[in-house]
Amino acid sequence: MDIRESEPPTWNPAQLLEFDITSNEIRDGLVSFRADTLAFRFTPRPQTAPVTCTVELREYLGGGSEGSVLLNGTASATVKRNQSSDTWLSFSGFGWQDATRTRPVTRCYYRVSLDCDSTVRVAICGEERLF
């Protein structure tokens, strides 16, 4: 899996899951995505202290079960003090669900966490589905 700290070319603002996360909080969920890129955008609030935003992706085993952390499925990005622009983490190259390469991976579990005393807005390019 590849990880970039930039806005992906496949970013579609119409397909967002958004939430606020604050002060050492952890947020988990299941997300589905159409393209081979899953993007996380971190938007800081005014007068934000330095924030380390960490994303961990785990495999979806079906039936609401999660598996192991995906290969290269953990990354962190830093929002600097009083930063006014977004910070990105984009994951791509998820691979295939089958050996014949006919079904691409289109779902995974995510865990977003912050190491700070601030609040940021998190947007995920994907569609949350509860099973």
Side-chain angles (χ1 to χ4, degrees), residues 87-131:
T87 297
W88 294 84
L89 280 175
S90 300
F91 298 83
S92 61
F94 283 86
W96 304 91
Q97 294 181 31
D98 59 343
T100 58
R101 296 182 175 212
T102 59
R103 295 182 306 146
V105 171
T106 58
R107 292 181 211 169
C108 68
Y109 281 95
Y110 66 87
R111 172 172 280 176
V112 176
S113 61
L114 297 185
D115 183 13
C116 69
D117 288 322
S118 293
T119 299
V120 298
R121 183 88 178 150
V122 179
I124 303 173
C125 180
E127 181 181 325
E128 185 173 39
R129 297 187 185 192
L130 303 175
F131 295 90

Side-chain angles (χ1 to χ4, degrees), residues 11-70:
W11 180 254
N12 182 352
Q15 298 178 356
L16 293 180
L17 165 65
E18 292 187 271
F19 54 88
D20 287 332
I21 188 168
T22 189
S23 301
N24 302 311
E25 182 180 357
I26 295 173
R27 182 77 176 256
D28 296 300
L30 178 64
V31 67
S32 64
F33 44 96
R34 294 185 184 120
D36 189 41
T37 300
L38 184 60
F40 293 78
R41 181 184 71 199
F42 301 94
T43 304
R45 302 278 173 112
Q47 300 176 350
T48 297
V51 178
T52 300
C53 309
T54 301
V55 175
E56 178 184 273
L57 303 178
R58 294 183 164 271
E59 64 183 322
Y60 172 69
L61 299 177
S65 299
E66 65 180 77
S68 303
V69 175
L70 296 172

